[in-house]
Amino acid sequence: MNPTPLTTAASLAEGTLSPGVASVTIRRVVTDSRDIQPGDLFVALKGPNHDAHHFISEVAERGAAAVMVHENVESTLPTIRVKDTLTGLQTLASNYRSTLRTHVVGITGSNGKTSTKDLTAAVFGSRFTVCKTRGNLNNHIGLPLSVLAIDDSHEVAILEMGMNHAGEIAPLAAIARSHVAIITNIGTAHIEFLKTREAIAAEKAELASAVTPEGLVILNANDAFTPWISERCSAVVTTAGIETGDLSATDLASDAEGTSFIVRFQGEECSAFLPIPGRHMVGNALLAISAGLAHGVNLPSAVAALAHVQLTAGRLESREIAGIHFLDDTYNANPDSMLAALATLESLPCSGKRIAVLGAMGELGEQSEAGHRQVGAAAANIDILVTVGETADWIADEASQSGTPQVIRTADTAQAAAALLSILQPGDCVLVKGSRSARMEQVIAELTISLQFASS
């Protein structure tokens, strides 16, 4: 955040500043009391399970410069009072956004948002000073905080926007006011709440339709909903995809180190390498390249930037432990991302067994059984499937009927790790994936300790 006088912050938040406040300048806006540093403005959010107003004395001890609170709350710190602190945070971010000269790229989609954010930041970083959403701060709280983290040193900001209910993208798009919108794809994530892919497409399209005619919308040329979304855009629309699109990739070849391919754009072509396995990751990279090309990054520079990119942890992260190759895709899961991850596992050279360790997928509602069974059917070509938890039994049932050679059902991550330790050998390739609620990263953690100890 640019250093901002508290009087200005109060005005931007449309709040009331406590009387008699001496000159105070804030440099960050924080909602987690544990993250407070001297000079911060602490916004005391009140949720269904906690009320951060209880931590005002704590943040004062940690050196907070000021607090934003509900109107009836007292504080010994310089105070901005608003009717509702969440609305105050969002209003502050929206009005602060209008003071910035930074070029904003907004990203949403059912799968690959965070990976595409990282890839886009790498491409723009080859020419510009970039800031991007930290972690997954992409919702009604995280997006305002991400906007408030931008300062005038940032020429480009890459902002991720997520949702799980209808009506959530439009307010985020209104705060971010993106010059460029990227929609990675339309899948089945959060279908429990939106019921149909058409409803999901309509929600994601809110980001694209919010871009002004002077802006740019970049869509996945391989996605069935791209023509439908294009019709709802007033901005220029361009597409990127595998074997098709205004910008395309051909000649894909994957190994344990990543994927090589040829990028083609307006008669120009360039050999590329992405140090991440998976056809779907190449699709995400193409969206990033397309955004960079539209803003003066040349094709060789964009390709070179991707050759050394590092994704946020848990997104098809390759690692080797005791001669065993792991694909850590534990951050989250839905049927589409599960299918893509299984396809990646199948495509990799492997001297040993191909093993998938899969947990449950959340937020599928009435389609939960069908979604899990779809994943199970797709596991027919791997050697061993290990499922974790009762809900994942649907994956196991369908895999058994579809011909997966060996299916192991486990009750929890500890049992899964124990089962794996009895079968793993050097040369094996192991995919670990599931929704956040399945906590599949615990399988990786347990195996890391046990395998490293056994090999020491």
Side-chain angles (χ1 to χ4, degrees), residues 29-54:
V29 178
V30 177
T31 59
D32 187 337
S33 61
R34 298 164 297 182
D35 193 33
I36 286 292
Q37 298 174 11
D40 290 348
L41 169 64
F42 176 66
V43 179
L45 298 177
K46 183 177 182 179
N49 300 314
H50 76 280
D51 185 351
H53 291 85
H54 297 153

Side-chain angles (χ1 to χ4, degrees), residues 189-200:
H190 315 303
I191 203 163
E192 176 183 7
F193 306 114
L194 284 96
K195 305 303 181 184
T196 67
R197 288 186 71 198
E198 288 75 13
I200 294 169

Side-chain angles (χ1 to χ4, degrees), residues 4-10 17-27 64-67 76-80:
T4 303
L6 189 60
T7 52
T8 301
L17 187 60
S18 55
V21 173
S23 177
V24 174
T25 298
I26 60 172
R27 291 170 173 79
V67 294
T76 58
L77 288 171
T79 302
I80 299 173

Side-chain angles (χ1 to χ4, degrees), residues 296-361:
V297 179
N298 63 48
L299 186 56
S301 294
V303 165
L306 293 178
H308 305 287
V309 69
Q310 289 189 328
L311 299 187
T312 302
R315 275 79 169 181
L316 266 184
E317 185 179 357
S318 294
R319 59 176 74 178
E320 186 170 308
I321 308 170
I324 300 163
H325 183 71
F326 286 89
L327 291 175
D328 178 357
D329 205 16
T330 57
Y331 179 73
N332 215 339
N334 56 57
D336 300 303
S337 66
M338 282 279 209
L339 297 178
L342 284 168
T344 300
L345 176 63
E346 289 182 30
S347 72
L348 294 180
C350 180
S351 61
K353 303 178 294 293
R354 289 186 173 87
I355 303 169
V357 189
L358 305 180
M361 298 175 288

